[in-house]
């Protein structure tokens, strides 16, 4: 995620299990079987449901608060190189995506136009001191640097939205507030100016860069109504591909388990001895190979998965 990528990647690595669950493994929270078609992130963490995923996150939060785990760096700088200020416009109907974005966020000097409403991004340090609300000034106990405070200014109303950024001018999670003049208003509540109603909101868009790395565009914008979180076409395509891949692997594993097989590093094995009536004389320890059991076995060849010990050969064990 944009500026918080380092933090969320750090959490993901801690929460991940040793391997992605294929379905049937016990949940790390409630010990119920993990569905084969659970979300891929839940299967990465070996949890069976959104509820257990949240509880697993809460466990991690408590460990962080107790100091059991050292906190990570919070921000990943926006990788886009320095550029000239630009305008991010609303695109015409029929465009693949409705809004222009670039990198993690707009930078000082940029304009964000959304459905005719224009917001200008500036550095707070560049404003005259007398127009900066006292709530934005760090003071003696301040936990931010005014040199890293950005302000979104709404052209139509003059309302200002202050927030703290990282070194690449990407928004952090620290919001200092929204204001009309020097009067603070509720951060994301609607307000009236000139008989019209406006609202500050977080514009959050998930995207994928040219290397396939996901990130989040974040902008604080004022408009007549908020815009829901969006995915770019590239992010949608990537998400669908991951879903297809994980669903295929989980479905395959589920079919194997229904046939009484279990997976090992070397291939699929029988859970128990097969019946003598099915024409297969192999014991439960037999390793099924890509060649199958042979013409007398009643089980189809497509269920086999492991590599053959030798090209064109089949491992056999006959009953004595």
């Amino acid at each position: 995620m944009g500026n918080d990528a380092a933090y969320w990647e750090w959490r993901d690595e801690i929460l991940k299990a040793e391997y992605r669950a294929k379905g049937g493994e016990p949940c790390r929270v409630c010990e119920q079987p993990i569905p084969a078609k659970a979300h891929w992130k839940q299967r990465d963490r070996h949890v069976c449901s959104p509820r257990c995923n949240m509880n697993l996150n809460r466990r991690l939060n408590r460990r962080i608060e107790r100091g059991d785990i050292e906190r990570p760096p919070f921000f990943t700088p926006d990788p886009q190189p320095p550029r000239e200020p630009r305008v991010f416009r609303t695109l015409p109907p029929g465009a693949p995506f409705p809004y222009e974005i670039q990198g993690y966020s707009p930078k000082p000097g940029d304009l964000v136009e959304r459905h005719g409403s224009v917001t200008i991004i500036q550095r707070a340090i560049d404003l005259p001191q007398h127009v900066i609300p006292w709530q934005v000034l760090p003071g003696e106990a301040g936990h931010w640097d005014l040199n890293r405070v950005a302000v979104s200014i709404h052209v139509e109303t003059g309302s200002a939205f202050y927030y703290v950024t990282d070194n690449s001018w990407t928004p952090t999670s620290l919001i200092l507030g929204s204001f009309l003049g020097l009067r603070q208003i509720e951060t994301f509540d609607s307000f009236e100016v000139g008989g019209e109603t406006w609202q500050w909101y977080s514009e959050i868009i998930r995207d994928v860069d040219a290397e396939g790395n996901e990130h989040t565009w974040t902008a604080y914008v004022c408009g007549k109504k908020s815009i829901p979180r969006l995915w770019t076409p590239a992010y949608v395509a990537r998400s669908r591909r991951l879903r297809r891949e994980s669903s295929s692997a989980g479905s395959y594993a589920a079919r194997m388990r229904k046939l009484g097989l279990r997976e090992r590093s070397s291939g699929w094995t029988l859970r128990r001895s097969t019946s003598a009536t099915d024409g297969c004389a192999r014991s439960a320890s037999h390793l099924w190979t890509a060649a199958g059991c042979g013409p007398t076995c009643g089980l189809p060849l497509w269920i086999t998965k492991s590599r053959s010990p030798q090209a064109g050969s089949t491992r056999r064990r006959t009953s004595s």
Side-chain angles (χ1 to χ4, degrees):
M1 292 178 60
N3 59 299
D4 292 330
Y7 176 72
W8 295 112
E9 289 171 5
W10 172 81
R11 287 185 69 98
D12 276 343
E13 287 302 315
I14 293 180
L15 293 172
K16 274 184 180 178
E18 293 183 2
Y19 63 93
R20 177 173 289 180
K22 293 181 172 63
E25 294 88 346
C27 174
R28 294 164 64 186
V29 176
C30 69
E31 299 186 352
Q32 293 298 312
I34 299 171
K37 294 186 177 181
H39 189 277
W40 59 269
K41 189 171 288 288
Q42 294 173 20
R43 290 188 285 115
D44 275 350
R45 299 174 179 180
H46 282 206
V47 291
C48 66
S49 64
R51 179 187 180 90
C52 286
N53 185 49
M54 181 177 294
N55 287 335
L56 187 68
N57 273 280
R58 287 172 175 169
R59 290 180 182 180
L60 177 59
N61 292 340
R62 287 194 292 270
R63 293 176 64 191
I64 295 173
E65 290 167 2
R66 290 197 302 264
D68 298 341
I69 300 177
E70 184 177 354
R71 291 179 180 270
F74 278 90
F75 309 115
T76 301
D78 192 335
Q80 65 173 309
R83 57 173 175 78
E84 292 297 318
R86 56 162 297 184
V87 179
F88 294 96
R89 296 181 172 86
T90 302
L91 297 175
F97 192 72
Y99 308 115
E100 290 181 333
I101 63 173
Q102 180 181 350
Y104 291 176
S105 67
K107 309 303 181 187
D110 289 343
L111 279 73
V112 180
E113 178 274 319
R114 296 298 184 245
H115 305 285
S117 178
V118 179
T119 303
I120 302 174
I121 314 301
Q122 292 188 0
R123 303 189 310 168
I125 197 73
D126 293 335
L127 300 178
Q129 187 77 14
H130 68 275
V131 305
I132 302 176
W134 67 266
Q135 296 92 331
V136 174
L137 300 174
E140 295 181 0
H143 299 289
W144 61 87
D145 182 354
L146 190 61
N147 289 312
R148 296 258 60 89
V149 175
V151 54
S152 295
I153 301 176
H154 187 223
V155 172
E156 284 80 359
T157 64
S159 179
F161 189 104
Y162 293 85
Y163 55 95
V164 178
T165 71
D166 63 15
N167 292 332
S168 61
W169 291 100
T170 302
T172 70
S173 58
L174 182 54
I175 295 172
L176 303 180
S178 55
F179 299 81
L180 271 174
L182 296 178
R183 178 173 65 88
Q184 187 168 17
I185 58 179
E186 292 297 327
T187 305
F188 294 113
D189 284 359
S190 58
F191 62 95
E192 290 190 7
V193 173
E196 294 187 284
T197 301
W198 303 89
Q199 177 184 359
W200 285 102
Y201 63 91
S202 302
E203 180 178 275
I204 298 177
I205 300 173
R206 299 288 280 155
D207 195 12
V208 179
D209 62 22
E211 287 73 36
N213 302 312
E214 63 180 71
H215 62 273
T216 301
W217 157 277
T218 303
Y220 294 113
V221 182
C222 189
K224 293 294 184 66
K225 60 180 180 179
S226 62
I227 296 172
R229 296 190 180 197
L230 299 173
W231 290 2
T232 64
Y235 191 88
V236 171
R238 176 184 177 276
S239 180
R240 288 175 177 171
R241 176 178 58 79
L242 291 175
R243 186 178 301 173
R244 285 196 304 269
E245 291 174 356
S246 62
S247 177
S248 176
S251 298
Y252 181 86
R255 292 199 301 271
M256 297 302 98
R257 284 190 295 273
K258 286 183 179 179
L259 291 170
L261 305 177
R262 61 183 175 182
E263 187 177 18
R264 292 180 178 174
S265 59
S266 54
W268 291 94
T269 62
L270 290 171
R271 292 182 182 275
R272 55 185 180 277
S273 298
T274 56
S275 170
T277 61
D278 66 3
C280 179
R282 301 177 185 189
S283 69
S285 62
H286 166 67
L287 177 65
W288 289 36
T289 68
C293 285
T296 61
C297 180
L299 293 174
L301 297 181
W302 57 261
I303 66 172
T304 61
K305 178 182 178 182
S306 69
R307 298 183 300 274
S308 299
Q310 298 175 356
S313 67
T314 304
R315 293 185 59 179
R316 297 181 180 275
R317 177 181 293 184
T318 58
S319 57
S320 56

